[in-house]
Amino acid sequence: MNRKKIGLFAAGLLLAVQTAIVPGVQAAPNRDIEIILDGKSLQSDTSPYIVQGADVTMVPLRVISEGLGAQVNWSESSGVVTITAQDKNISMENGGQSATVNGKSVRLDASARMTSGRVMVPLRFVGEALGLKVDWQAAERVIMLSSTTSNTSSSVNPEGGSKSQGAGNDEQEISPLPSTPKNEDSSNASTGNVVQVKASTSMRGAWISTINGDWPSAAARSSAEKQKQEFTKTLDDLKGMGINAVFVQVRASGDALYPSSLVPWSKYLTNTQGKNPGYDPLQFMISEAHERGMEFHAWFNPFRANSTGTTSGLAANHVAIQHPEWIVKNGSQLYINPGIPAARQHVIKAIMEVVNGYDIDGVHLDDYFYPYSGTFDDDATFEAYNANKISNKGDWRRDNVNSFVQDLGKTIHASKPKVQFGISPFGVWRNKSQDITGSDTKAGVTAYDTTYADVRTWINKGWIDYVAPQIYWSIGFPAAGYDKLVAWWSNEVKNTDVKLYIGHSPYKIGTPEKGWQSAQEIIKQLELNENYKQVKGDIYFSAQHLRKNPYGLIQLLQNYYQL
């Protein structure tokens, strides 16, 4: 965690008031803390740690379930941990100041939290609440738990808090721990699952871009075998640093990395658009990802028709050739006009071809709606396709994108309800100077006003399953601080069913921009995220920048994810 606490203070004074300590700060250990129950060492796949300032020992929830025999439950949607053993029921919220013991509130020095992909809970509080004697032996870095004492009183006072939860030696004898078997049938999607506790539901994604050179390399563009070798090596490298999902750009410029009846083969496979590479790259990539236990999300650039401003080199069945009336030139790129209903449906059909034909885990859109800059000549479209008689062109453009997002989401879920649909917009929705409900930022462009992405509506209407804002700035960055934006986006998804993943920018490590002179910036961001239960994971742009290991990033990620 940021030892200077810059990230937390910048995230807002309210957060500082609500949490008495900085979650996740660990003392530098001499060696791992050992936990012994009635003379038997309890095994843990994640090392316990001590929260500095609060002297609270945090342990994985698995220790409570497997070591202490309690039934445990973690609800990802609410961020609540529930621990039950016969006559005791304990619940605590991720980052909360208090716990509930048999329906009564008890103040906490440190509560449950996600740390390095694990659900961690304060051992002394839980142990004593369940009737254990807890003894911290500092010199040996050993926690002794005893369930065989004769005193039947609990150290938890439902009316006035608990004993010190630290790793100190303020002990008293308490009643034995009841033995409660785990209920293997208690999993319920609406209330959480009996955890195993590695948070496999936590997203650790990487974007794999075809247009920017993540895959395939230029040298592999005419060799199916080289492409396969490169992709499997990429997956192995990513998995080795903790990545569990890939977002692969399967439609970069109105084309495809798969055999399609609607759009041409991508030129990035053979150097020639429309040329068959001799295999189905998408099927191969999905199979290889799933074989490694990684999710595969198909990433589409929705309205970019071509990354150059000409139709030279485009295949005969490319949308810019077949429907030039749908195309708008913007600077050095060609766009499919989102204002034309038939054009929007063409994009949806192209995406659904993949949804219906492949075992993908998700459909992912980036921010290619309307362009960030330049002139977009859609005056005639505004006049011709404005059934709702919207007078302001900006509102009309947002309505076009909203219609597209709503229609696509409904179509995906009607076909395959389990396929996740998410979008990665620009990291700033609106500045507070433009909208009092916007973020405390001074961004030169915004999602709402520049690309006409009305993300708030998508979230509130439940049209998307997750949102992954591209927060590509450092903590404390003056114009758009990472810390301020994570807090803002967390508040946007609060009390909704939309998950929040954060888009990170390892490509900036080593650049002159403020905050990127060390790879530790990424780790600080991950640790700051732990303070927000709404943050369900992270996605990194992009695979090549992770694999280049800037300033030792790979080892830092491995340490963070405890690999």
Side-chain angles (χ1 to χ4, degrees):
M1 181 71 66
N2 187 342
R3 287 171 290 185
K4 296 182 180 179
K5 303 183 183 178
I6 295 174
L8 288 176
F9 286 123
L13 291 176
L14 178 60
L15 179 62
V17 171
Q18 288 177 330
T19 52
I21 47 88
V22 182
V25 179
Q26 304 178 23
N30 298 318
R31 60 178 182 272
D32 288 347
I33 296 172
E34 183 179 8
I35 304 171
I36 297 178
L37 172 64
D38 293 337
K40 181 180 178 181
S41 179
L42 301 184
Q43 300 301 310
S44 171
D45 62 347
T46 300
S47 299
Y49 64 83
I50 300 171
V51 179
Q52 291 178 337
D55 288 335
V56 175
T57 304
M58 305 296 292
V59 299
L61 194 54
R62 178 177 288 175
V63 168
I64 306 301
S65 64
E66 298 181 357
L68 306 188
Q71 179 180 321
V72 299
N73 193 288
W74 163 249
S75 172
E76 181 186 6
S77 60
S78 64
V80 173
V81 172
T82 304
I83 301 170
T84 305
Q86 286 191 4
D87 62 342
K88 293 292 176 65
N89 185 282
I90 307 165
S91 66
M92 61 189 95
E93 185 176 356
N94 183 7
Q97 284 186 288
S98 62
T100 300
V101 180
N102 288 353
K104 295 185 177 181
S105 179
V106 179
R107 187 185 63 81
L108 290 174
D109 292 328
S111 186
R113 69 201 52 191
M114 293 294 297
T115 301
S116 302
R118 303 294 197 278
V119 181
M120 308 293 286
V121 296
L123 177 61
R124 178 181 295 278
F125 171 76
V126 173
E128 293 181 348
L130 294 179
L132 286 170
K133 179 179 178 180
V134 184
D135 182 18
W136 166 243
Q137 299 180 2
E140 292 79 18
R141 295 183 64 78
V142 171
I143 299 172
M144 301 293 294
L145 305 177
S146 174
S147 63
T148 57
T149 58
S150 58
N151 191 329
T152 59
S153 66
S154 169
S155 66
V156 175
N157 176 3
E159 304 300 329
S162 68
K163 291 174 47 186
S164 166
Q165 300 168 39
N169 56 8
D170 180 19
E171 307 299 339
Q172 67 182 50
E173 293 192 348
I174 48 184
S175 60
L177 169 70
S179 176
T180 303
K182 287 176 286 184
N183 182 354
E184 299 297 341
D185 298 322
S186 63
S187 175
N188 185 291
S190 63
T191 60
N193 297 307
V194 173
V195 290
Q196 284 247 298
V197 159
K198 177 173 174 129
S200 59
T201 54
S202 175
M203 170 62 68
R204 305 174 187 172
W207 279 291
I208 297 180
S209 171
T210 54
I211 201 168
N212 288 330
D214 286 334
W215 179 89
S217 70
R221 286 187 184 173
S222 295
S223 171
E225 286 308 308
K226 285 184 180 179
Q227 290 173 17
K228 292 178 180 180
Q229 291 170 9
E230 286 185 356
F231 191 78
T232 55
K233 180 63 165 62
T234 296
L235 290 184
D236 290 340
D237 289 349
L238 293 174
K239 185 174 182 179
M241 63 184 83
I243 300 302
N244 61 15
V246 288
F247 295 72
V248 182
Q249 191 176 30
V250 300
R251 173 192 168 89
S253 299
D255 50 14
L257 292 186
Y258 49 90
S260 170
S261 62
L262 300 173
V263 298
W265 282 103
S266 171
K267 70 177 181 180
Y268 296 104
L269 297 170
T270 62
N271 288 317
T272 302
Q273 190 176 86
K275 184 177 179 180
N276 190 328
Y279 76 114
D280 186 341
L282 180 53
Q283 185 58 58
F284 173 79
M285 292 188 292
I286 293 170
S287 297
E288 291 296 316
H290 287 172
E291 186 176 300
R292 289 163 174 78
M294 304 172 79
E295 292 184 3
F296 186 98
H297 295 249
W299 163 20
F300 298 83
N301 292 100
F303 292 101
R304 180 167 61 189
N306 197 16
S307 56
T308 69
T310 72
T311 58
S312 176
L314 297 182
N317 62 334
H318 189 276
V319 62
I321 302 298
Q322 292 193 331
H323 292 281
E325 72 279 9
W326 293 354
I327 304 302
V328 177
K329 182 177 180 180
N330 172 256
S332 60
Q333 298 191 80
L334 299 181
Y335 272 75
I336 299 171
N337 192 338
I340 301 176
R344 296 197 298 266
Q345 285 303 309
H346 165 80
V347 177
I348 291 174
K349 287 180 181 178
I351 293 172
M352 290 306 301
E353 192 176 36
V354 172
V355 173
N356 293 323
Y358 294 89
D359 184 24
I360 59 174
D361 298 290
V363 167
H364 180 78
L365 304 184
D366 55 27
D367 51 352
Y368 270 85
F369 300 108
Y370 285 89
Y372 278 99
S373 61
T375 300
F376 194 83
D377 186 6
D378 59 353
D379 287 347
T381 310
F382 181 39
E383 293 295 327
Y385 300 98
N386 192 355
N388 294 328
K389 305 300 181 183
I390 299 172
S391 59
N392 179 277
K393 184 187 278 191
D395 291 338
W396 171 77
R397 285 177 174 176
R398 278 182 288 272
D399 187 62
N400 294 331
V401 177
N402 283 350
S403 295
F404 170 76
V405 170
Q406 182 181 18
D407 291 347
L408 177 57
K410 285 182 177 179
T411 308
I412 291 170
H413 292 139
S415 177
K416 290 187 178 179
K418 291 185 179 181
V419 171
Q420 295 286 294
F421 172 41
I423 299 178
S424 179
F426 185 69
V428 177
W429 175 72
R430 298 191 90 185
N431 297 311
K432 186 175 288 187
S433 60
Q434 300 163 299
D435 187 320
I436 191 63
T437 65
S439 54
D440 185 15
T441 51
K442 298 177 181 178
V445 298
T446 64
Y448 184 90
D449 298 285
T450 308
T451 62
Y452 300 94
D454 187 7
V455 189
R456 174 175 285 173
T457 294
W458 309 343
I459 293 171
N460 291 340
K461 297 287 189 180
W463 294 341
I464 56 178
D465 297 305
Y466 69 85
V467 61
Q470 301 169 33
I471 309 182
Y472 289 171
W473 306 280
S474 61
I475 294 172
F477 186 72
Y482 178 92
D483 43 339
K484 292 182 178 180
L485 286 165
V486 169
W488 188 88
W489 284 103
S490 295
N491 190 62
E492 283 298 296
V493 302
K494 186 180 294 184
N495 300 322
T496 75
D497 293 327
V498 177
K499 295 179 181 179
L500 174 61
Y501 304 142
I502 303 298
H504 296 269
S505 55
Y507 73 91
K508 284 191 173 180
I509 295 173
T511 64
E513 185 175 302
K514 177 180 172 61
W516 293 105
Q517 286 66 56
S518 167
Q520 191 66 35
E521 174 64 26
I522 293 291
I523 305 304
K524 291 177 181 178
Q525 293 180 0
L526 296 177
E527 290 173 332
L528 188 147
N529 290 356
E530 293 171 11
N531 297 299
Y532 299 93
K533 67 180 182 181
Q534 291 82 13
V535 177
K536 303 300 183 184
D538 309 273
I539 312 175
Y540 302 93
F541 189 84
S542 63
Q544 65 176 300
H545 298 286
L546 290 174
R547 297 175 71 206
K548 287 176 182 178
N549 194 26
Y551 292 11
L553 176 61
I554 290 176
Q555 184 63 54
L556 291 175
L557 287 174
Q558 290 172 335
N559 291 343
Y560 179 80
Y561 292 133
Q562 299 188 359
L563 301 178

PDB file of all heavy atoms in Angstrom, residues 418-431:
ATOM      1  N   LYS A 418     -25.427 -16.148 -20.276  1.00  0.00           N
ATOM      2  CA  LYS A 418     -24.220 -16.208 -19.450  1.00  0.00           C
ATOM      3  C   LYS A 418     -23.050 -15.427 -20.037  1.00  0.00           C
ATOM      4  O   LYS A 418     -22.034 -15.235 -19.372  1.00  0.00           O
ATOM      5  CB  LYS A 418     -23.810 -17.664 -19.226  1.00  0.00           C
ATOM      6  CG  LYS A 418     -24.786 -18.431 -18.345  1.00  0.00           C
ATOM      7  CD  LYS A 418     -24.290 -19.837 -18.055  1.00  0.00           C
ATOM      8  CE  LYS A 418     -25.264 -20.582 -17.147  1.00  0.00           C
ATOM      9  NZ  LYS A 418     -24.792 -21.953 -16.833  1.00  0.00           N
ATOM     10  N   VAL A 419     -23.158 -14.991 -21.275  1.00  0.00           N
ATOM     11  CA  VAL A 419     -22.090 -14.200 -21.885  1.00  0.00           C
ATOM     12  C   VAL A 419     -22.132 -12.786 -21.316  1.00  0.00           C
ATOM     13  O   VAL A 419     -23.156 -12.111 -21.368  1.00  0.00           O
ATOM     14  CB  VAL A 419     -22.219 -14.166 -23.417  1.00  0.00           C
ATOM     15  CG1 VAL A 419     -21.240 -13.174 -24.028  1.00  0.00           C
ATOM     16  CG2 VAL A 419     -21.962 -15.555 -23.997  1.00  0.00           C
ATOM     17  N   GLN A 420     -21.007 -12.354 -20.745  1.00  0.00           N
ATOM     18  CA  GLN A 420     -20.928 -11.023 -20.154  1.00  0.00           C
ATOM     19  C   GLN A 420     -20.773  -9.956 -21.248  1.00  0.00           C
ATOM     20  O   GLN A 420     -20.049 -10.165 -22.222  1.00  0.00           O
ATOM     21  CB  GLN A 420     -19.731 -10.941 -19.203  1.00  0.00           C
ATOM     22  CG  GLN A 420     -19.860 -11.845 -17.991  1.00  0.00           C
ATOM     23  CD  GLN A 420     -20.860 -11.316 -16.989  1.00  0.00           C
ATOM     24  OE1 GLN A 420     -20.662 -10.272 -16.387  1.00  0.00           O
ATOM     25  NE2 GLN A 420     -21.959 -12.037 -16.818  1.00  0.00           N
ATOM     26  N   PHE A 421     -21.443  -8.844 -21.055  1.00  0.00           N
ATOM     27  CA  PHE A 421     -21.351  -7.730 -21.997  1.00  0.00           C
ATOM     28  C   PHE A 421     -20.833  -6.512 -21.246  1.00  0.00           C
ATOM     29  O   PHE A 421     -21.463  -6.048 -20.289  1.00  0.00           O
ATOM     30  CB  PHE A 421     -22.720  -7.443 -22.611  1.00  0.00           C
ATOM     31  CG  PHE A 421     -22.780  -6.200 -23.460  1.00  0.00           C
ATOM     32  CD1 PHE A 421     -21.740  -5.878 -24.329  1.00  0.00           C
ATOM     33  CD2 PHE A 421     -23.868  -5.337 -23.399  1.00  0.00           C
ATOM     34  CE1 PHE A 421     -21.783  -4.725 -25.114  1.00  0.00           C
ATOM     35  CE2 PHE A 421     -23.932  -4.200 -24.175  1.00  0.00           C
ATOM     36  CZ  PHE A 421     -22.884  -3.889 -25.035  1.00  0.00           C
ATOM     37  N   GLY A 422     -19.678  -6.020 -21.671  1.00  0.00           N
ATOM     38  CA  GLY A 422     -19.092  -4.875 -20.994  1.00  0.00           C
ATOM     39  C   GLY A 422     -18.439  -3.903 -21.944  1.00  0.00           C
ATOM     40  O   GLY A 422     -18.134  -4.236 -23.099  1.00  0.00           O
ATOM     41  N   ILE A 423     -18.219  -2.693 -21.449  1.00  0.00           N
ATOM     42  CA  ILE A 423     -17.666  -1.614 -22.267  1.00  0.00           C
ATOM     43  C   ILE A 423     -16.566  -0.916 -21.481  1.00  0.00           C
ATOM     44  O   ILE A 423     -16.651  -0.757 -20.264  1.00  0.00           O
ATOM     45  CB  ILE A 423     -18.764  -0.611 -22.672  1.00  0.00           C
ATOM     46  CG1 ILE A 423     -19.841  -1.320 -23.505  1.00  0.00           C
ATOM     47  CG2 ILE A 423     -18.180   0.569 -23.446  1.00  0.00           C
ATOM     48  CD1 ILE A 423     -21.005  -0.434 -23.918  1.00  0.00           C
ATOM     49  N   SER A 424     -15.534  -0.489 -22.205  1.00  0.00           N
ATOM     50  CA  SER A 424     -14.407   0.215 -21.602  1.00  0.00           C
ATOM     51  C   SER A 424     -14.368   1.653 -22.110  1.00  0.00           C
ATOM     52  O   SER A 424     -13.727   1.951 -23.111  1.00  0.00           O
ATOM     53  CB  SER A 424     -13.100  -0.502 -21.932  1.00  0.00           C
ATOM     54  OG  SER A 424     -12.003   0.171 -21.370  1.00  0.00           O
ATOM     55  N   PRO A 425     -15.042   2.570 -21.425  1.00  0.00           N
ATOM     56  CA  PRO A 425     -15.082   3.961 -21.887  1.00  0.00           C
ATOM     57  C   PRO A 425     -13.849   4.744 -21.456  1.00  0.00           C
ATOM     58  O   PRO A 425     -13.033   4.266 -20.648  1.00  0.00           O
ATOM     59  CB  PRO A 425     -16.331   4.518 -21.196  1.00  0.00           C
ATOM     60  CG  PRO A 425     -16.352   3.774 -19.888  1.00  0.00           C
ATOM     61  CD  PRO A 425     -15.847   2.371 -20.208  1.00  0.00           C
ATOM     62  N   PHE A 426     -13.729   5.945 -21.954  1.00  0.00           N
ATOM     63  CA  PHE A 426     -12.713   6.875 -21.476  1.00  0.00           C
ATOM     64  C   PHE A 426     -12.882   7.053 -19.964  1.00  0.00           C
ATOM     65  O   PHE A 426     -13.996   7.003 -19.440  1.00  0.00           O
ATOM     66  CB  PHE A 426     -12.869   8.215 -22.194  1.00  0.00           C
ATOM     67  CG  PHE A 426     -11.814   9.229 -21.872  1.00  0.00           C
ATOM     68  CD1 PHE A 426     -10.512   9.063 -22.302  1.00  0.00           C
ATOM     69  CD2 PHE A 426     -12.131  10.366 -21.135  1.00  0.00           C
ATOM     70  CE1 PHE A 426      -9.531   9.999 -22.013  1.00  0.00           C
ATOM     71  CE2 PHE A 426     -11.165  11.320 -20.840  1.00  0.00           C
ATOM     72  CZ  PHE A 426      -9.861  11.127 -21.273  1.00  0.00           C
ATOM     73  N   GLY A 427     -11.779   7.252 -19.251  1.00  0.00           N
ATOM     74  CA  GLY A 427     -11.802   7.216 -17.802  1.00  0.00           C
ATOM     75  C   GLY A 427     -12.534   8.334 -17.102  1.00  0.00           C
ATOM     76  O   GLY A 427     -12.852   8.223 -15.913  1.00  0.00           O
ATOM     77  N   VAL A 428     -12.832   9.425 -17.804  1.00  0.00           N
ATOM     78  CA  VAL A 428     -13.576  10.538 -17.195  1.00  0.00           C
ATOM     79  C   VAL A 428     -14.939  10.635 -17.877  1.00  0.00           C
ATOM     80  O   VAL A 428     -15.018  10.860 -19.085  1.00  0.00           O
ATOM     81  CB  VAL A 428     -12.814  11.873 -17.342  1.00  0.00           C
ATOM     82  CG1 VAL A 428     -13.643  13.023 -16.761  1.00  0.00           C
ATOM     83  CG2 VAL A 428     -11.454  11.792 -16.655  1.00  0.00           C
ATOM     84  N   TRP A 429     -15.996  10.475 -17.092  1.00  0.00           N
ATOM     85  CA  TRP A 429     -17.347  10.608 -17.644  1.00  0.00           C
ATOM     86  C   TRP A 429     -17.625  12.074 -17.955  1.00  0.00           C
ATOM     87  O   TRP A 429     -17.867  12.440 -19.094  1.00  0.00           O
ATOM     88  CB  TRP A 429     -18.371  10.060 -16.649  1.00  0.00           C
ATOM     89  CG  TRP A 429     -19.802  10.256 -17.077  1.00  0.00           C
ATOM     90  CD1 TRP A 429     -20.444   9.596 -18.086  1.00  0.00           C
ATOM     91  CD2 TRP A 429     -20.749  11.171 -16.514  1.00  0.00           C
ATOM     92  NE1 TRP A 429     -21.740  10.039 -18.193  1.00  0.00           N
ATOM     93  CE2 TRP A 429     -21.968  11.002 -17.238  1.00  0.00           C
ATOM     94  CE3 TRP A 429     -20.701  12.096 -15.477  1.00  0.00           C
ATOM     95  CZ2 TRP A 429     -23.110  11.745 -16.945  1.00  0.00           C
ATOM     96  CZ3 TRP A 429     -21.847  12.833 -15.175  1.00  0.00           C
ATOM     97  CH2 TRP A 429     -23.028  12.655 -15.913  1.00  0.00           C
ATOM     98  N   ARG A 430     -17.596  12.927 -16.943  1.00  0.00           N
ATOM     99  CA  ARG A 430     -17.691  14.377 -17.104  1.00  0.00           C
ATOM    100  C   ARG A 430     -16.938  15.023 -15.946  1.00  0.00           C
ATOM    101  O   ARG A 430     -16.878  14.479 -14.840  1.00  0.00           O
ATOM    102  CB  ARG A 430     -19.133  14.888 -17.080  1.00  0.00           C
ATOM    103  CG  ARG A 430     -20.021  14.377 -18.176  1.00  0.00           C
ATOM    104  CD  ARG A 430     -21.342  15.159 -18.225  1.00  0.00           C
ATOM    105  NE  ARG A 430     -21.241  16.324 -19.111  1.00  0.00           N
ATOM    106  CZ  ARG A 430     -22.184  17.229 -19.280  1.00  0.00           C
ATOM    107  NH1 ARG A 430     -23.306  17.152 -18.579  1.00  0.00           N
ATOM    108  NH2 ARG A 430     -22.021  18.232 -20.116  1.00  0.00           N
ATOM    109  N   ASN A 431     -16.385  16.188 -16.206  1.00  0.00           N
ATOM    110  CA  ASN A 431     -15.762  16.959 -15.141  1.00  0.00           C
ATOM    111  C   ASN A 431     -16.826  17.634 -14.287  1.00  0.00           C
ATOM    112  O   ASN A 431     -17.924  17.952 -14.757  1.00  0.00           O
ATOM    113  CB  ASN A 431     -14.851  18.042 -15.732  1.00  0.00           C
ATOM    114  CG  ASN A 431     -13.707  17.470 -16.533  1.00  0.00           C
ATOM    115  OD1 ASN A 431     -12.998  16.575 -16.088  1.00  0.00           O
ATOM    116  ND2 ASN A 431     -13.519  17.996 -17.748  1.00  0.00           N
TER     117      ASN A 431
END
